[in-house]
Amino acid sequence: MLADFTKRLARFVTHRWRPVLVFWIIATVVLFAIAPKWKDVAYDGDFEYLPDRMTTVAAARVLDEAFPGDRTRSQIVIVLGRKETPLDKDDLMVGDDLLRRLHHRFGEVCWQRAIARGYSGGPIDQAPELAQPWLQRALESLDHSIAVDQRFYERFADSVPDLAPTLTEPRMAIAYFDRAKLLEQIGVQARQARDDYRDALLLVPDIETLAEPVAERDLTAWASMLDLLSWDDAVLGSLLTKPSARLAVMQLRSELAATENINTVESIGKILDQVRRYSLALAPQPENAAERLQLEMTGSAAIGGETLIAARDAIRYTESITVIMILLILILVYRAPLLVAVPMISIGVAVIVSTSMVATLTDWSIRGVLPWLDMRVFTTSRIFIVVILFGAGTDYCLFLISRLREEAALAPWPVACRNALTGVTSALLGSALTTVFGLGTLWFAEFGKYHYTGPIIAICLLVGLIVCLTLAPALLRALGPNVFWPNVVTPETETTRSLLSVPVGPDAKSTRRSSGLWEWIAITLTRRPMTAFLLGIIFLAAPGWYGWVNEDSVTYNLSSQLDTDAPSRRGYRLLSDHFKIGEINPVTVLMVRAEDEPRETLKKQLKSLSNLLYAQPGVVAVRTPNDPLGDFPPDREMGLLSTDAWRRRALQQHRVAQNYFFSNNIQYQDRLARLDLIIEGDPFALPTQQLVAQIGDTLNQLASDPDSDWAGSKVYLTGTTPSIIDLRSVTIADNQRIKIAVVLAVFLILVAVIRRLGLCLYLIFTVLLSYYATLGLTVLFFRLVYADQYVGLDWKLPLFLFVILVAVGQDYNVYLVTRIVEEQRKSGWLSALRHAVSKTGGIITACGMVMAATFFSMTASAWLPGLLHLLGIESDASIGLRGIIELGFALGLGVLIDTFYVRTILVPSFVALMGRWKPKQRRVVK
């Protein structure tokens, strides 16, 4: 049946090559024209794709229901500080330069938000209800910006550089202008409005021309900003102040890995650069570089945004380097321009068609055009698609062209094209299907990123296979024998300089000549197969064992994905020098009672619950309605009229505490209580996760106790650490499930293609050994590279390495074994094995190098910017994504091991042993 299909396909493509070319041209143009951009439909993040049954997902649903509207989901923390030296007035002047800009920007955002909620003018109390708080916040922020600007200029006046004034330098002219316009629109403080307008004109005479109306300003990058808390806040300032550091906290409604955070992080980076260039550059600095004043940003949104920026740069570098590497390898292999063009055109069409098709289907799924379709793509998915399509697609074309070279020396061109396609189709199908089914098994994963990414890559690879089985042979058929120019390949003669050429004489059926290297390897392996087999296994056993014991030593630390010199990593280190990291990453506890309870009773019960939580290991502070910042633990004595008492009452009335601990939603207002826990240690560290898990167990036990105040309550934990706990739990279970599914799927495909049960089992064993050896060598390599910065490989690496290596690693085994089976129909097992190894050695090696090169291109963000700098070319990318770099290295190394070791030594030696052990009468197929 398969043989009949391959013949019919080859006959159709080579006979109807013109319609085939037209079809692919039309399909490419149409799909490219209608498809949305990948970035417009791509999702990101990890925690958002946990299954619904996880605690943090349920907690997010409760929060959305109990606190509808805008809710803080992430934050960016800006740190101004020195290593140890206390900040002086010059340092605080730099801080004022920052704050005046930030408060003005927040005022603009609040004003635009009020306009979006229906405000068009008039007093605040007559504005739409949803717009009123934002109008008030806009006015307060502009007041704050101007007050800080005045303080800044008093200190900076003697240092003002001799430059033309702008809207923000040396004074915040734009803040005066905006406050004048807002006061005028509200209809209050007319004198203040006139004074502000006059001051703005004095600072920048043509400000009316330069300043756009607030409603027309592009503040998209700042649209997620909900609040700005700074160290000069009268109530909260002490929490954000240390002798050697100050904090400004931007609270955002976007998730930490939302794509919109890219623009937010880049925009904040521009403001920080403006401050560094303007005031920080003029501030006195000590000779000790370690004590110089630093201005950095960090926080969950900063880390998430920089991770997305690094992924974006990785995609750009990977695509460019992949194309360049493939082009160079094809030129080196073929030394014929048309033979280089055919694979490049075919793979380019495959990439455009597959990515456009997937983007279109995803867009339809998101918009509900196809309600039954559940499809999502991610930013990093494109890296895998491009790399695997270029690698596998080039391999498919190489095998087709290699076979065509053999056939063209035996028959006229149309017949040679048909025979070549017939000869390789079954091998290409077997090779592709192992990868497709292997990747497709990720559909069984619970974690959303696995669940969606695997099948999408499999679909794209299927498109690539179809292109290589139709468009590539149609192009070859159309170009004719001239495709080998300047070489000549005809039935009469063959003169070629290709590195993969196999000279074939006129009597090729009786005379077989192969390259000397692969002929020598084939003879050596078949003479001493047991020695080769045992030594081959032993050499991979040591790194394989090391990979086995280190398979679970991975990190879920999101910040560790970035380079140590990434801005958010620098900010994280500066923050941790002066503040407890848990203060910006609290664990939120939701206690939802089964029945309503009076609010005052809930407050009393929360106080006793707070005392219980303070007694738990690792709990530094508990934030409650009575103690919004958690800085008044039970053992802290406080008099009724003391300063602490007044401060706590002020905190209870501050906006950060309003509508935070209790819900106004009817469904939850007398049932839900919310509190935040500050936990000792790094939120991403395993010991911290264990502490939080113990706290969760304690609270669940409390809810299960019929005699407790919280009997029958539902307990939810959310935040960074609980999300990491859920993510680890889900992915560990997925890893075990998917590995079994991948092995079974690939094994079944091998059995269907090769039809040798023992050999198929051995092939599975070889790729498993190769996987663990690759993992062990990867761990050793990055331990050496990262040194004391090594915290483990990225948590996604083991599964993606396993799936891709087990599936892709079988490609070359399939190519070799199917050729052995084909040759056995003509001769005995020994001759068939030697001839198959010598015939396929060069082409499989080239294919392996191509695939390894494409995978290694994923590491480009680690070395390409430095290389470009040495060449005098500056790049705007400065952040590398360690997860992509590590995976690219591991995949490239694994493919090289499969190509040069497994396929060269382990598989032929085992086949030779099988041939020796068979009964003599079965060795030759007569």
Side-chain angles (χ1 to χ4, degrees):
M1 183 177 178
L2 180 60
D4 182 59
F5 168 76
T6 58
K7 290 179 181 178
R8 293 174 63 182
L9 174 67
R11 190 180 304 113
F12 173 82
V13 172
T14 55
H15 183 64
R16 305 283 185 183
W17 57 271
R18 291 183 181 87
V20 170
L21 293 177
V22 172
F23 168 80
W24 283 114
I25 292 172
I26 295 175
T28 303
V29 172
V30 171
L31 284 171
F32 183 77
I34 67 172
K37 293 182 179 179
W38 190 271
K39 65 178 183 179
D40 294 336
V41 295
Y43 285 75
D44 263 295
D46 294 321
F47 303 145
E48 296 83 354
Y49 301 100
L50 292 169
D52 291 342
R53 63 180 177 82
M54 305 310 293
T55 302
T56 51
V57 177
R61 287 198 302 269
V62 172
L63 283 173
D64 288 338
E65 294 170 0
F67 302 93
D70 295 322
R71 174 170 66 84
T72 299
R73 292 176 173 83
S74 64
Q75 57 189 0
I76 291 177
V77 180
I78 301 176
V79 191
L80 176 74
R82 297 182 186 273
K83 186 72 175 176
E84 294 178 355
T85 307
L87 300 182
D88 57 24
K89 62 180 183 179
D90 291 321
D91 300 334
L92 295 179
M93 176 192 68
V94 176
D96 285 341
D97 189 16
L98 169 70
L99 291 184
R100 65 186 186 133
R101 299 171 193 261
L102 289 179
H103 281 291
H104 172 258
R105 183 52 46 88
F106 184 50
E108 292 177 298
V109 171
C110 292
W111 192 352
Q112 272 200 3
R113 195 165 287 146
I115 294 172
R117 283 157 174 74
Y119 178 71
S120 57
I124 294 178
D125 57 0
Q126 296 179 15
E129 184 177 356
L130 294 177
Q132 291 180 17
W134 294 113
L135 276 174
Q136 188 63 44
R137 295 298 306 282
L139 189 56
E140 292 173 358
S141 296
L142 292 174
D143 290 343
H144 201 156
S145 175
I146 290 173
V148 176
D149 177 69
Q150 292 171 349
R151 187 172 68 209
F152 166 77
Y153 193 70
E154 289 175 2
R155 297 171 177 171
F156 192 68
D158 296 335
S159 305
V160 174
D162 187 18
L163 299 172
T166 67
L167 295 178
T168 58
E169 297 169 1
R171 304 294 301 274
M172 288 293 296
I174 187 65
Y176 291 89
F177 180 79
D178 285 346
R179 188 170 70 173
K181 294 293 183 181
L182 182 57
L183 291 174
E184 180 182 336
Q185 195 169 32
I186 294 174
V188 296
Q189 303 181 40
R191 181 176 178 180
Q192 182 66 63
R194 289 194 299 272
D195 290 346
D196 285 346
Y197 186 71
R198 184 196 62 222
D199 291 342
L201 288 176
L202 286 174
L203 294 171
V204 181
D206 54 348
I207 193 169
E208 281 281 8
T209 305
L210 297 175
E212 292 181 304
V214 168
E216 299 176 11
R217 295 176 192 173
D218 184 10
L219 300 177
T220 306
W222 302 84
S224 63
M225 190 176 180
L226 294 178
D227 204 352
L228 175 62
L229 309 175
S230 57
W231 65 81
D232 64 345
D233 186 284
V235 178
L236 296 179
S238 60
L239 180 70
L240 306 175
T241 299
K242 296 292 181 183
S244 300
R246 300 290 191 275
L247 299 183
V249 181
M250 292 174 49
Q251 296 182 333
L252 310 178
R253 65 184 176 191
S254 57
E255 299 290 351
L256 67 90
T259 52
E260 60 193 281
N261 286 346
I262 293 177
N263 292 332
T264 304
V265 168
E266 290 179 336
S267 297
I268 294 175
K270 291 178 181 177
I271 284 186
L272 297 185
D273 287 339
Q274 291 170 2
V275 174
R276 294 186 188 110
R277 173 187 54 80
Y278 193 69
S279 58
L280 181 56
L282 298 176
Q285 294 285 7
E287 295 182 1
N288 184 1
E291 285 299 324
R292 291 185 177 179
L293 185 64
Q294 300 177 62
L295 182 61
E296 305 290 352
M297 66 173 160
T298 187
S300 56
I303 293 171
E306 287 188 354
T307 301
L308 295 175
I309 292 171
R312 179 193 64 190
D313 294 339
I315 292 173
R316 186 176 62 199
Y317 281 136
T318 299
E319 291 181 348
S320 302
I321 294 299
T322 297
V323 172
I324 293 172
M325 282 187 170
I326 295 296
L327 191 60
L328 291 176
I329 290 174
L330 289 176
I331 292 173
L332 180 65
V333 167
Y334 288 129
R335 305 177 190 177
L338 293 178
L339 281 182
V340 172
V342 169
M344 294 301 295
I345 292 173
S346 301
I347 299 164
V349 168
V351 171
I352 293 173
V353 170
S354 61
T355 54
S356 299
M357 181 181 70
V358 166
T360 302
L361 291 175
T362 302
D363 182 51
W364 290 352
S365 174
I366 295 170
R367 294 192 291 113
V369 177
L370 299 176
W372 50 268
L373 182 64
D374 182 20
M375 202 168 182
R376 297 292 184 272
V377 297
F378 304 93
T379 301
T380 50
S381 301
R382 187 177 176 88
I383 294 178
F384 294 106
I385 291 172
V386 170
V387 166
I388 291 179
L389 270 182
F390 266 92
T394 305
D395 286 358
Y396 301 156
C397 290
L398 284 174
F399 265 89
L400 175 63
I401 293 172
S402 176
R403 191 59 176 261
L404 177 60
R405 187 186 299 277
E406 293 182 36
E407 298 295 339
L410 306 173
W413 188 252
V415 177
C417 290
R418 184 174 69 247
N419 291 344
L421 185 56
T422 302
V424 300
T425 297
S426 60
L428 295 186
L429 285 173
S431 168
L433 289 178
T434 57
T435 308
V436 167
F437 277 85
L439 291 167
T441 57
L442 287 171
W443 183 82
F444 296 103
E446 282 194 286
F447 179 51
K449 261 192 171 178
Y450 291 164
H451 175 79
Y452 291 115
T453 300
I456 291 239
I457 300 174
I459 291 171
C460 293
L461 185 59
L462 273 178
V463 173
L465 175 66
I466 294 171
V467 169
C468 292
L469 289 177
T470 55
L471 177 61
L475 287 170
L476 292 170
R477 174 68 178 84
L479 292 171
N482 292 328
V483 75
F484 293 108
W485 181 87
N487 305 314
V488 178
V489 181
T490 65
E492 292 78 23
T493 180
E494 178 184 0
T495 303
T496 176
R497 294 177 295 171
S498 168
L499 293 184
L500 300 182
S501 63
V502 180
V504 180
D507 190 16
K509 293 183 180 180
S510 60
T511 305
R512 293 173 173 173
R513 290 179 291 167
S514 307
S515 64
L517 174 62
W518 292 104
E519 179 75 20
W520 176 82
I521 291 174
I523 293 174
T524 303
L525 286 174
T526 51
R527 284 178 177 172
R528 299 178 181 84
M530 181 60 73
T531 302
F533 175 77
L534 292 177
L535 290 177
I537 297 294
I538 291 171
F539 284 148
L540 283 187
W545 174 84
Y546 191 73
W548 172 275
V549 299
N550 285 280
E551 188 175 17
D552 295 329
S553 61
V554 296
T555 178
Y556 287 78
N557 190 334
L558 300 182
S559 65
S560 68
Q561 289 294 296
L562 301 170
D563 292 338
T564 55
D565 198 42
S568 63
R569 293 288 299 275
R570 296 198 304 265
Y572 187 88
R573 290 192 295 271
L574 182 60
L575 177 69
S576 62
D577 286 340
H578 304 285
F579 297 87
K580 293 182 176 66
I581 295 298
E583 292 180 355
I584 64 167
N585 282 288
V587 174
T588 297
V589 177
L590 302 177
M591 303 294 291
V592 183
R593 299 183 61 87
E595 298 178 356
D596 291 351
E597 195 77 33
R599 181 66 58 86
E600 291 304 317
T601 303
L602 275 178
K603 288 184 177 181
K604 293 178 181 178
Q605 292 172 349
L606 272 181
K607 185 175 181 180
S608 62
L609 180 61
S610 172
N611 293 339
L612 172 65
L613 290 170
Y614 267 112
Q616 302 304 307
V619 175
V620 176
V622 181
R623 296 173 179 171
T624 66
N626 291 327
D627 185 9
L629 296 183
D631 49 0
F632 296 101
D635 58 354
R636 181 170 178 177
E637 298 294 334
M638 182 171 51
L640 182 63
L641 299 179
S642 67
T643 304
D644 285 345
W646 285 104
R647 180 168 172 269
R648 188 166 75 168
R649 281 192 286 273
L651 286 171
Q652 292 171 359
Q653 300 302 316
H654 195 276
R655 66 177 185 273
V656 298
Q658 299 299 311
N659 302 320
Y660 183 84
F661 297 100
F662 297 108
S663 170
N664 291 325
N665 186 308
I666 296 177
Q667 181 183 356
Y668 292 100
Q669 64 181 359
D670 294 324
R671 296 174 52 225
L672 181 144
R674 174 180 180 177
L675 60 161
D676 289 346
L677 307 181
I678 310 302
I679 309 296
E680 186 73 36
D682 187 338
F684 298 102
L686 186 58
T688 308
Q689 296 171 35
Q690 293 169 343
L691 291 174
V692 172
Q694 292 174 7
I695 293 171
D697 292 340
T698 300
L699 292 174
N700 280 302
Q701 291 173 7
L702 183 67
S704 301
D705 184 358
D707 298 327
S708 76
D709 292 335
W710 300 95
S713 298
K714 292 184 178 179
V715 179
Y716 302 97
L717 271 66
T718 186
T720 300
T721 305
S723 296
I724 292 291
I725 294 172
D726 283 352
L727 182 63
R728 179 186 290 272
S729 172
V730 170
T731 53
I732 288 175
D734 277 344
N735 287 359
Q736 297 169 347
R737 183 186 310 111
I738 298 303
K739 285 179 180 178
I740 296 173
V742 169
V743 170
L744 289 176
V746 172
F747 176 72
L748 292 176
I749 294 297
L750 289 176
V751 170
V753 174
I754 299 175
R755 301 178 184 273
R756 304 287 194 280
L757 183 61
L759 181 56
C760 293
L761 287 171
Y762 177 73
L763 294 180
I764 292 293
F765 165 76
T766 61
V767 292
L768 291 178
L769 180 61
S770 173
Y771 160 73
Y772 283 109
T774 300
L775 187 61
L777 293 172
T778 301
V779 172
L780 286 172
F781 177 79
F782 285 104
R783 279 188 190 276
L784 178 64
V785 171
Y786 294 153
D788 59 345
Q789 296 291 328
Y790 179 81
V791 293
L793 297 177
D794 179 50
W795 58 273
K796 296 183 287 293
L797 185 146
L799 183 62
F800 276 116
L801 177 64
F802 184 89
V803 172
I804 296 175
L805 206 57
V806 170
V808 174
Q810 291 294 0
D811 286 5
Y812 311 124
N813 293 335
V814 170
Y815 295 148
L816 174 60
V817 173
T818 53
R819 189 59 182 260
I820 293 173
V821 173
E822 180 182 342
E823 295 295 334
Q824 277 188 319
R825 300 190 183 102
K826 308 171 187 175
S827 60
W829 69 269
L830 182 60
S831 175
L833 175 59
R834 289 178 174 175
H835 188 64
V837 171
S838 60
K839 276 280 189 178
T840 61
I843 185 63
I844 292 179
T845 299
C847 289
M849 292 174 63
V850 165
M851 185 65 79
T854 58
F855 283 138
F856 278 128
S857 69
M858 295 169 64
T859 69
S861 59
W863 51 267
L864 187 58
L867 178 62
L868 293 176
H869 179 72
L870 291 176
L871 297 176
I873 303 173
E874 294 302 325
S875 169
D876 59 349
S878 59
I879 305 174
L881 195 60
R882 284 189 174 182
I884 296 296
I885 294 168
E886 292 168 0
L887 183 56
F889 175 85
L891 288 170
L893 177 62
V895 169
L896 290 179
I897 291 175
D898 275 332
T899 303
F900 290 98
Y901 200 85
V902 174
R903 184 267 313 176
T904 304
I905 298 175
L906 296 185
V907 174
S909 62
F910 182 79
V911 173
L913 290 175
M914 286 181 64
R916 284 191 175 185
W917 293 336
K918 284 184 178 181
K920 185 175 181 180
Q921 62 271 21
R922 296 179 58 190
R923 293 184 185 177
V924 179
V925 179
K926 295 184 179 181

